């Protein structure tokens, strides 16, 4: 039997009274529809509103594909973006962290879905975030075919939100970058990053707090740009420059330099019996990282396993093909240079710096076995 309350509430409660606005959610879906449609590509029309997104592999030109999936977030870089009320780049970060993880396996990113969670939906913020996700999808060549907006009162502090992204790509069977072509004597190319990307921001924020840096002040190394803007520079998306090189079989291996830095990410694409030897003096250490290192008195080895230190992607190529790969990346707007070689040895990575490198007074060597 039904239990009858002793006293009925004076006012019937609604979902909106509990802090969730269905109308606001519906309005957001309607507003971001054109953003999703702008990412349409062969295989997906990028329409929103259904219970799931569809993708036609045959229409995308695949014959016998393997699907490759990746998911990630933006981490505590979001907290910095929220504090600075700057949301126009975090969606690019979100796509980059997923799409770059697909291309390192030789896969073309095909479609993307996002998850946006907040305590109270602020339409202007949500639209700015989704607009940047759409921009990232266009840079990566994938379609934004769906997502979820979760309004959860009490789960997040006022103004806070979190993001997660999910990307699926495809690669023809037999064309996966699986490390089988990587060999001793191969050249390691470093492709320049756009900044800190989306890793190490818990340390970045700790340094900011301890040094009491003014993020609105002009960055000392970048006239006309605030320090906050420099730190929030979106993660570079390397998909379009790299896919043609992968297709021409000029790339033996790729490593996306995320959390763990060079030391821990490069070994992930090496077979047993090969070691990466990287010379930290072979590229210019970006002044933003110098500022962070000095500000936190961070040791060189800690820098090498926390930040990308100016190298956002590593490409492993045959010695004879290094010049062509560097030139073609340059034509695509990417700066690449030789930063090391592969040698026989225990699988891992060694990064060596000469005297004065990365703020060190003496020669240093940082190694990771993996």
């Amino acid at each position: 039997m039904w239990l009858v309350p002793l006293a009925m509430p004076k006012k019937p409660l609604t979902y909106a009274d509990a802090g969730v606005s269905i109308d606001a959610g519906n309005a957001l879906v309607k507003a971001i529809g054109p953003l999703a449609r702008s990412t349409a590509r062969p295989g997906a029309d990028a329409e929103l509103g259904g219970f799931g997104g569809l993708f036609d592999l045959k229409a995308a030109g695949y014959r016998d594909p393997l699907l490759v999936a990746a998911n990630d977030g933006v981490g505590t870089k979001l907290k910095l973006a929220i504090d600075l009320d700057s949301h126009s780049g975090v969606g690019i970060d979100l796509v980059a962290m997923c799409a770059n993880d697909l291309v390192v396996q030789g896969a073309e990113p095909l479609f993307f879905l996002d998850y946006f969670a907040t305590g109270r939906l602020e339409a202007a913020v949500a639209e700015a975030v989704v607009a940047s996700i759409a921009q990232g999808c266009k840079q990566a060549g994938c379609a934004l075919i769906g997502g979820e907006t979760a309004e959860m009162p009490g789960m997040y502090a006022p103004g806070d939100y979190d993001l997660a992204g999910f990307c699926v790509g495809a690669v023809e069977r037999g064309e996966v970058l699986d490390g089988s072509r990587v060999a001793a004597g191969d050249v390691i190319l470093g492709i320049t990053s756009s900044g800190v990307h989306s890793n190490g921001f818990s340390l970045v924020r700790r340094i900011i707090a301890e040094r009491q840096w003014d993020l609105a002040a002009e960055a000392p190394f970048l006239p006309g740009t605030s320090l906050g803007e420099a730190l929030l520079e979106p993660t570079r998306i390397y998909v379009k420059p790299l896919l043609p090189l992968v297709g021409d079989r000029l790339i033996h291996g790729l490593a996306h330099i995320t959390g763990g830095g060079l030391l821990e990410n490069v070994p992930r694409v090496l077979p047993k019996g090969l070691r990466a030897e990287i010379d930290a003096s072979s590229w210019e250490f970006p002044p933003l990282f110098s500022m962070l290192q000095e500000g936190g008195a961070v040791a060189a080895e800690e820098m090498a396993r926390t930040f990308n230190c100016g190298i956002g992607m590593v490409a492993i190529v045959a010695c004879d093909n290094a010049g062509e790969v560097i030139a073609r990346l340059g034509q695509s707007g990417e700066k690449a240079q030789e930063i090391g070689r592969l040698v026989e040895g225990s699988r891992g990575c060694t990064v060596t710096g000469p005297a004065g490198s990365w703020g060190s007074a003496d020669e240093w060597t940082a190694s990771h076995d993996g």
Side-chain angles (χ1 to χ4, degrees):
M1 60 180 291
W2 288 97
L3 295 178
V4 180
L6 295 177
M8 293 295 292
K10 293 182 179 180
K11 172 190 173 186
L13 294 178
T14 66
Y15 211 4
D17 292 326
V20 180
S21 173
I22 295 175
D23 292 338
N26 290 338
L28 177 62
V29 171
K30 184 176 181 180
I32 65 179
L35 297 173
R37 286 192 289 275
S38 72
T39 69
R41 51 151 293 155
D45 59 14
E47 284 285 348
L48 300 182
F51 286 96
L54 301 176
F55 192 92
D56 186 343
L57 284 167
K58 186 175 181 181
Y62 285 90
R63 302 180 304 278
D64 184 22
L66 295 174
L67 294 180
V68 186
N71 73 294
D72 212 330
V74 182
T76 59
K77 186 176 186 177
L78 276 182
K79 184 60 178 172
L80 193 62
I82 291 166
D83 290 345
L84 295 175
D85 193 24
S86 178
H87 315 280
S88 61
V90 293
I92 298 174
D93 286 304
L94 185 66
V95 176
M97 297 306 291
C98 299
N100 285 339
D101 278 356
L102 296 186
V103 74
V104 300
Q105 295 173 89
E108 175 193 14
L110 300 177
F111 59 87
F112 191 88
L113 299 98
D114 70 275
Y115 176 77
F116 179 98
T118 186
R120 181 178 180 275
L121 187 60
E122 297 181 24
V125 171
E127 281 190 50
V129 171
V130 176
S132 66
I133 293 173
Q135 186 179 351
C137 286
K138 287 188 279 190
Q139 290 182 22
C142 59
L144 177 59
I145 66 170
E148 170 70 8
T149 301
E151 193 173 18
M152 299 184 289
M155 285 288 289
Y156 297 89
D160 280 355
Y161 63 87
D162 199 9
L163 291 174
F166 310 86
C167 196
V168 174
V171 56
E172 293 289 1
R173 195 179 304 272
E175 296 181 8
V176 180
L177 288 180
D178 57 4
S180 60
R181 296 169 60 215
V182 175
D186 280 356
V187 170
I188 302 171
L189 302 180
I191 308 175
T192 302
S193 70
S194 56
V196 185
H197 284 184
S198 298
N199 297 100
F201 270 87
S202 293
L203 178 55
V204 170
R205 291 172 53 245
R206 175 68 179 270
I207 294 170
I208 292 170
E210 289 199 355
R211 293 299 299 269
Q212 296 184 336
W213 285 343
D214 180 4
L215 298 182
E218 184 176 79
F221 49 84
L222 200 58
T225 300
S226 72
L227 179 57
E229 290 171 335
L231 288 167
L232 289 179
E233 181 69 24
T235 305
R236 203 157 182 84
I237 297 178
Y238 300 97
V239 172
K240 290 183 178 179
L242 285 174
L243 277 178
L245 296 169
V246 172
D248 290 342
R249 299 185 67 78
L250 291 171
I251 302 288
H252 289 177
L254 291 168
H256 184 199
I257 309 306
T258 54
L262 291 162
L263 283 177
E264 296 188 13
N265 284 291
V266 175
R268 295 170 66 182
V269 301
L270 302 181
K272 290 183 179 180
L274 289 182
R275 188 170 195 85
E277 292 190 343
I278 295 175
D279 179 4
S281 68
S282 60
W283 73 93
E284 182 181 356
F285 193 57
L288 174 57
F289 291 102
S290 295
M291 184 175 180
L292 290 169
Q293 184 180 25
E294 181 181 354
V298 185
E301 182 172 1
E302 186 71 9
M303 293 292 295
R305 71 185 185 97
T306 302
F307 299 114
N308 66 61
C309 296
I311 302 296
M313 182 73 74
V314 158
I316 299 171
V317 303
C319 183
D320 292 344
N321 294 331
E324 180 181 353
V325 172
I326 290 172
R328 287 179 59 176
L329 285 170
Q331 292 167 4
S332 299
E334 304 293 341
K335 182 181 179 181
Q337 57 212 313
E338 182 176 337
I339 64 171
R341 297 251 175 166
L342 294 186
V343 299
E344 294 181 354
S346 60
R347 182 170 61 190
C349 180
T350 299
V351 179
T352 303
S357 176
W358 296 12
S360 175
D362 302 299
E363 184 171 327
W364 61 273
T365 299
S367 296
H368 174 78
D369 295 326

